């Protein structure tokens, strides 16, 4: 009987150690991926990333009140912060609503209620990351096929349909979409088209850019020429030269 009990103890001990070892071993491979701190584009008013992750209760209220379907909740494939809200700018940017309803809906302080109007938003900064893909710089006209990509996004509300109606007017014209469709009031202080040295036009970003991501969403190039760098400011990127 004693031998049976000893054998059982040995079995449990080595089984436990084996499972622990497998878990730790898997962690070496999985943890850096599963827990990787990806710098996501957060909704308006988001506090610092570390504080945001601590405060966000993953209630989804910001998502529910967003009139443009801009906000999504992170899943396991998105790294850390499962269940927290973020914006995939290429799919749908933030249209900088006048009352910033996502902030008003946040009950935890993860979205700072001091963000009361579009000009208060500080999500990131737009960057002409791939100028060789910019249709304006290559003097191409906007095609219907390029605009149709935006029509495949969620567009169930009148506000979203209004965007499509405006966008359709750019068909067969030189591209000025990123500047003309910017939702920030007095958007010339955020982004404008300037003459390029090669005779075309190109977008130039200014210090009133809030990183809403609309320019990235609506960029008609099949791979966005202009992208948003989350959490960076104009000063960070364009003056200090901080790139990530």
């Amino acid at each position: 009987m004693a031998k049976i009990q000893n054998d059982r103890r040995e079995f449990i001990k080595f089984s436990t150690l084996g499972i622990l070892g497998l878990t730790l071993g898997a962690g070496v491979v999985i943890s850096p991926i599963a827990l990787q701190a990806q710098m996501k584009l957060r909704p308006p008013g988001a506090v610092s990333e570390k504080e945001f992750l601590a405060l966000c209760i993953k209630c989804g209220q910001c998502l529910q009140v967003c009139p443009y379907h801009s906000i999504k909740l992170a899943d396991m494939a998105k790294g850390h912060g499962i269940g927290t809200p973020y914006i995939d700018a290429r799919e749908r940017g933030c249209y900088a609503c006048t009352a910033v309803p996502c902030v008003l809906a946040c009950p935890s302080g993860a979205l700072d209620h001091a963000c009361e109007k579009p000009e208060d938003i500080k999500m990131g900064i737009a960057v002409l990351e791939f100028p060789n893909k910019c249709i304006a710089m290559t003097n191409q006209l906007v095609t219907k096929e390029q605009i149709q990509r935006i029509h495949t996004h969620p567009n169930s509300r009148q506000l979203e349909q209004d965007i499509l109606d405006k966008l359709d007017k750019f068909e067969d014209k030189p591209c000025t979409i990123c500047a003309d469709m910017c939702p920030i009031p007095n958007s010339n202080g955020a982004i404008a088209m300037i003459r390029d040295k090669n005779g075309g036009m190109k977008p130039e970003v200014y210090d009133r850019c809030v990183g809403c991501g609309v320019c990235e969403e609506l960029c008609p190039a099949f791979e966005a020429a202009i992208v948003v760098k989350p959490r960076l400011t104009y000063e960070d990127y364009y003056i200090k030269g901080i790139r990530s």
Side-chain angles (χ1 to χ4, degrees):
M1 183 69 177
K3 184 179 185 305
I4 293 173
Q5 289 177 337
N6 285 335
D7 289 345
R8 183 177 296 167
R9 290 193 192 99
E10 290 297 305
F11 174 78
I12 293 171
K13 180 175 75 173
F14 285 110
S15 295
T16 304
L17 288 173
I19 292 169
L20 181 60
L22 286 171
T23 302
L24 291 174
V28 172
V29 177
I30 295 171
S31 294
I33 297 173
L35 302 179
Q36 183 182 12
Q38 298 177 13
M39 195 57 75
K40 301 179 181 69
L41 189 63
R42 297 297 186 184
V47 295
S48 69
E49 185 70 5
K50 184 176 180 180
E51 189 179 6
F52 179 85
L53 292 173
L55 289 174
C56 179
I57 59 174
K58 307 172 184 178
C59 63
Q61 291 296 317
C62 55
L63 178 152
Q64 293 181 37
V65 300
C66 177
Y68 290 94
H69 295 105
S70 302
I71 301 174
K72 304 170 73 172
L73 298 182
D75 56 22
M76 289 186 68
K78 297 296 180 182
H80 77 312
I82 296 171
T84 57
Y86 75 101
I87 290 173
D88 181 345
R90 189 57 172 163
E91 183 172 323
R92 176 54 50 86
C94 165
Y95 280 81
C97 303
T98 302
V100 203
C102 55
V103 175
L104 291 174
C106 178
S108 69
L111 304 182
D112 188 350
H113 284 222
C115 181
E116 299 176 336
K117 56 187 184 298
E119 294 88 345
D120 296 333
I121 298 171
K122 294 180 176 63
M123 296 165 61
I125 190 71
V127 173
L128 184 60
E129 184 91 321
F130 306 105
N132 61 313
K133 300 181 185 301
C134 178
I135 291 173
M137 293 182 68
T138 54
N139 292 311
Q140 299 177 59
L141 301 181
V142 178
T143 68
K144 183 175 183 178
E145 183 182 12
Q146 290 164 335
I147 292 175
Q148 281 300 119
R149 181 186 64 81
I150 313 301
H151 282 259
T152 64
H153 294 183
N155 294 298
S156 61
R157 296 172 180 157
Q158 186 57 50
L159 286 170
E160 295 167 314
Q161 186 58 51
D162 291 344
I163 293 170
L164 298 181
D165 292 342
K166 291 178 183 177
L167 196 61
D168 286 342
K169 295 177 182 178
F170 288 91
E171 184 181 340
D172 294 328
K173 295 179 180 179
C175 186
T176 57
I177 290 173
C178 58
D180 290 343
M181 295 289 287
C182 176
I184 301 302
N186 302 314
S187 60
N188 279 345
I191 186 171
M193 302 302 293
I194 65 167
R195 183 65 61 185
D196 177 61
K197 62 181 180 180
N198 296 320
M201 300 292 286
K202 71 174 183 178
E204 185 167 82
V205 177
Y206 303 120
D207 59 2
R208 291 189 64 192
C209 172
V210 302
C212 66
V214 167
C215 56
E216 182 175 344
E217 177 202 352
L218 300 183
C219 177
F222 291 113
E223 184 177 343
I226 191 166
V227 300
V228 171
K229 303 291 185 180
R231 299 285 188 181
L232 293 182
T233 65
Y234 179 88
E235 184 179 5
D236 289 335
Y237 191 91
Y238 290 101
I239 298 176
K240 296 180 180 178
I242 298 172
R243 294 294 182 257
S244 61

